[in-house]
Amino acid sequence: MDVQHTYIRNFSSHTADTVTVKGWVSNIRFSKTNIFIDFRDGSGFCQVVMSQDVLGEERFEEAKKLTRESSLAVSGTLIADERQLGGYEIQANSFCVYHIAVDFPIKANETEHGVRFLEDNRHIWLRSRRQWAIMRVRNQVIMGIHAYFQDNGFVQMDSPLFTGNAAEGSTTLFETDFFGEPAYLAQTGQLYGEAMAMAQGLIYTFGPTFRAEKSNTPRHLAEFWMIEPEMAFFDNDMNMSVIEGMVRSVVSRVLEKCETELKMLDRDTSKLQFAAEPFPRIKYVDAVKILRGELEINGKNAIALQEEDLAHAKALIEQHTAEIAEREATIKGGVKKGIRKFNEQKIAALQAEIKELEEQVRNIPNWIESAKNFVDGEDFGGSDETVLTRVFDAPVMVHDWPAKIKAFYMKEVDGNPDYVKGVDLLAPEGFGEVVGGSERETDIDVLVKKIEEHKLPQDVFEWYLDLRRFGSVPHSGFGLGLERLVRWICNLNHMRETIPFARRYGRLNP
RNA sequence: GCCUCCAUAGCUCAGCUGGUUAGAGCGCCGGACUGUUAAUCCGUAGGUCCAAGGUUCAAGUCCUUGUGGGGGCGCCA
């Protein structure tokens, strides 16, 4: 690629003294003879200094007209400076303005805005540091997934987005008009993936998926990107090995390639460094026992841990409240403005934290009740996943689920047809289900029986049944939610930040 | 779909049991100062208090309905 200017990310390999960069003003500070610009060019961030001494009075006056998000090209001397983010600073010799931006609505500190305002302004919110970092991580997650599968001999396939029927019969689908016939936007490509796996052996899909449920939660989108590998001659244990291998590979790639981004996101990366031993694999029946506090893991009791968390949250609230009172007393005592401001900021931060803690104090008792009274045979709720994963340090794989709460195509556990060989990967820190998969039923008679039991129309599955008529083999696969993985790795409290333009219940624009 | 909280300046919020002319911080604009890091200091401008109806001598504040939003639950990747 041949370009005339330099990208900030390439500064470390840049040899000449002078550079030309093209980009935008992220933030700007004026002093009498210097202007300091937080400059961004898409590839990174760098401080640009414009001095009256260097530029001359006339050009310096021009530079004073720059505003946040104005666009410009700058040529100048590249100076290594450890104090600056990225380790460099540019002393400008000349500059050329493309456009002066007027009244950019988003503040330099995006956390001062409400979520509604930011999402309404998503098209320009994407420019903020935090969103820049998230999108960079997302990019590495995507490339990491491709790399893992490609390196292991998988073939990428695209499954259709229009389907003539609801595949699993359970979820609500978006209906569209397909030349006069009703058609639905795909909620999964799995059945097509199975067909392709019988042709290519190892395949994976990577594409958009649509769910029309009116889910209004931080972990649901109406349009999201799903990765669905399907492996011929793989049983569910091998399936779990693939899940673990892929997740480890992607997470370590992000840790390696996105150090700056994760730092910008203030991510505690120790939580993403898993021990060498395999991710715990626990059967559903044992997960239920752990949840009810009847089974301990490494001396950890799930219910007791929640009670500890609750007590801890309460103690922290008291501690913060005391600190706020103390700081308020300091302010009332009459202090210099700088000190007053400093204390006011601390108080605001503490109050925000208290708000979150109070949310926990409200929620945890419900979670404990829900976990204690969990009914064997039911599906886990969001809070149950949080309580369950709390006793582990790594992601957990829960397998061998009750047949009645899982899809028709899952293979029965040998000698125990009430359970099926499904597996869910639950991420730690309350992020919940990231992967759902299973070994598929291979016996056509069992499959036909299951289709009947699930009250699904057999005729639309005839092509799928053909896969069992001609060389049926054991095979497995899973679905990975890209945005859920990004959310967990970046430690985001909502899915709306994991994708450039979120499409979810109540949000279609911009 | 259910539970719960909320809607006040461009943005984030305060406004107590109803009581004269509705406040702050940030941003904008003007000025001062300054190798600055969310710069700092001084000043100006900026409001149909979500909508409709009701209670009252008096409503940003209380009641009803509607609309929009946050958080939790369900459905799941």
Side-chain angles (χ1 to χ4, degrees):
Chain A
M1 197 169 76
D2 185 29
V3 286
Q4 298 301 308
H5 57 281
T6 304
Y7 287 101
I8 292 171
R9 74 183 153 85
N10 295 332
F11 278 179
S12 57
S13 57
H14 195 78
T15 47
D17 293 344
T18 61
V19 287
T20 299
V21 289
K22 298 185 176 183
W24 297 262
V25 175
S26 180
N27 200 9
I28 187 163
R29 294 172 291 279
F30 298 90
S31 81
K32 186 157 196 166
T33 55
N34 288 308
I35 296 171
F36 300 93
I37 297 171
D38 291 345
F39 188 84
R40 60 177 190 87
D41 75 343
S43 82
F45 295 82
C46 171
Q47 174 159 281
V48 169
V49 185
M50 295 189 169
S51 297
Q52 195 173 29
D53 299 346
V54 180
L55 291 174
E57 223 163 280
E58 198 180 315
R59 292 301 286 156
F60 192 73
E61 283 305 308
E62 278 303 303
K64 278 185 182 169
K65 293 177 185 165
L66 287 167
T67 56
R68 290 189 58 227
E69 289 306 321
S70 289
S71 46
L72 70 158
V74 180
S75 294
T77 314
L78 188 61
I79 301 159
D81 185 343
E82 283 187 2
R83 288 169 301 176
Q84 309 305 338
L85 182 70
Y88 291 91
E89 174 179 284
I90 294 170
Q91 179 72 49
N93 296 323
S94 64
F95 66 94
C96 163
V97 174
Y98 288 103
H99 182 243
I100 298 290
V102 178
D103 291 349
F104 187 68
I106 298 177
K107 298 178 190 185
N109 177 15
E110 67 165 82
T111 59
E112 276 186 46
H113 290 287
V115 288
R116 174 76 195 282
F117 177 83
L118 289 170
E119 220 173 345
D120 282 344
N121 288 285
R122 184 59 172 168
H123 51 295
I124 47 179
W125 182 24
L126 288 168
R127 302 180 185 196
S128 77
R129 287 187 182 211
R130 194 181 147 76
Q131 300 307 310
W132 177 88
I134 294 167
M135 290 303 129
R136 291 257 153 177
V137 171
R138 180 186 166 101
N139 178 56
Q140 285 304 331
V141 170
I142 291 169
M143 296 318 289
I145 290 166
H146 278 297
Y148 177 81
F149 287 122
Q150 292 293 326
D151 290 350
N152 284 287
F154 285 64
V155 171
Q156 195 272 342
M157 77 166 275
D158 299 308
S159 58
L161 299 187
F162 283 122
T163 57
N165 59 283
E168 294 173 31
S170 52
T171 47
T172 323
L173 305 183
F174 288 107
E175 192 173 333
T176 65
D177 177 78
F178 191 78
F179 307 117
E181 267 186 79
Y184 304 91
L185 293 181
Q187 54 138 343
T188 170
Q190 184 207 311
L191 305 190
Y192 302 98
E194 287 186 50
M196 191 65 130
M198 299 304 130
Q200 299 282 348
L202 303 173
I203 66 95
Y204 68 105
T205 68
F206 198 128
T209 305
F210 307 91
R211 302 275 166 92
E213 280 98 0
K214 293 176 177 174
S215 308
N216 195 8
T217 84
R219 61 180 186 282
H220 287 89
L221 292 169
E223 176 187 286
F224 63 97
W225 288 69
M226 187 153 72
I227 294 90
E228 295 183 283
E230 194 69 38
M231 296 85 74
F233 305 104
F234 272 52
D235 63 18
N236 205 32
D237 286 328
M238 297 159 82
N239 195 24
M240 285 191 258
S241 297
V242 175
I243 294 172
E244 174 167 350
M246 185 211 58
V247 168
R248 278 185 186 276
S249 159
V250 170
V251 170
S252 60
R253 180 191 179 103
V254 173
L255 286 174
E256 183 198 324
K257 301 218 176 212
C258 297
E259 211 185 320
T260 311
E261 289 84 347
L262 293 171
K263 199 174 279 176
M264 284 166 95
L265 292 167
D266 221 4
R267 180 52 160 137
D268 178 0
T269 50
S270 70
K271 297 250 170 79
L272 295 173
Q273 275 144 3
F274 316 117
E277 55 261 30
F279 291 173
R281 298 181 184 186
I282 47 170
K283 286 186 179 176
Y284 170 87
V285 289
D286 291 325
V288 171
K289 286 179 193 157
I290 294 170
L291 196 54
R292 289 176 178 160
E294 296 160 7
L295 179 66
E296 298 194 343
I297 296 293
N298 299 327
K300 289 182 189 167
N301 182 293
I303 299 292
L305 272 180
Q306 291 304 312
E307 277 159 358
E308 277 171 35
D309 288 352
L310 179 63
H312 183 244
K314 282 180 179 168
L316 259 182
I317 289 174
E318 266 183 47
Q319 206 177 309
H320 287 355
T321 308
E323 189 178 336
I324 287 172
E326 208 173 290
R327 289 188 185 279
E328 275 172 347
T330 308
I331 291 169
K332 273 185 187 157
V335 288
K336 282 186 181 168
K337 193 160 184 181
I339 295 170
R340 196 189 80 202
K341 256 195 140 160
F342 174 79
N343 279 291
E344 280 171 353
Q345 282 171 10
K346 287 279 181 198
I347 288 170
L350 289 169
Q351 277 169 340
E353 211 177 311
I354 285 177
K355 231 175 184 178
E356 268 178 46
L357 289 165
E358 281 173 344
E359 190 77 42
Q360 279 186 36
V361 170
R362 265 198 302 279
N363 290 333
I364 292 177
N366 296 333
W367 295 357
I368 292 173
E369 276 312 294
S370 164
K372 275 183 180 165
N373 302 319
F374 186 82
V375 180
D376 199 352
E378 299 284 304
D379 205 353
F380 295 131
S383 71
D384 300 324
E385 291 175 350
T386 306
V387 174
L388 179 64
T389 54
R390 182 73 177 77
V391 300
F392 299 97
D393 299 322
V396 185
M397 287 193 268
V398 180
H399 62 96
D400 290 11
W401 291 78
K404 62 169 186 175
I405 58 169
K406 289 291 181 184
F408 76 92
Y409 50 72
M410 293 192 185
K411 189 174 173 63
E412 290 172 356
V413 171
D414 309 315
N416 196 353
D418 290 341
Y419 291 86
V420 291
K421 296 183 176 181
V423 55
D424 282 1
L425 179 81
L426 306 179
E429 302 171 79
F431 287 104
E433 188 177 349
V434 170
V435 169
S438 68
E439 184 172 337
R440 322 305 190 186
E441 182 55 63
T442 48
D443 186 307
I444 188 164
D445 296 330
V446 176
L447 207 47
V448 167
K449 189 189 81 190
K450 287 284 183 73
I451 288 171
E452 272 171 26
E453 282 173 8
H454 282 79
K455 297 193 175 98
L456 296 168
Q458 193 184 316
D459 55 331
V460 303
F461 290 105
E462 279 305 326
W463 69 266
Y464 182 68
L465 293 172
D466 271 355
L467 306 178
R468 276 72 178 171
R469 289 186 179 109
F470 309 111
S472 187
V473 300
H475 62 289
S476 300
F478 61 88
L480 163 76
L482 173 65
E483 287 76 15
R484 287 195 174 172
L485 186 54
V486 172
R487 179 177 174 229
W488 165 40
I489 290 175
C490 292
N491 188 27
L492 306 176
N493 54 25
H494 203 289
M495 292 283 257
R496 66 182 131 232
E497 290 184 275
T498 61
I499 185 166
F501 293 93
R503 293 291 177 258
R504 56 192 188 83
Y505 183 58
R507 173 61 64 177
L508 187 57
N509 289 300

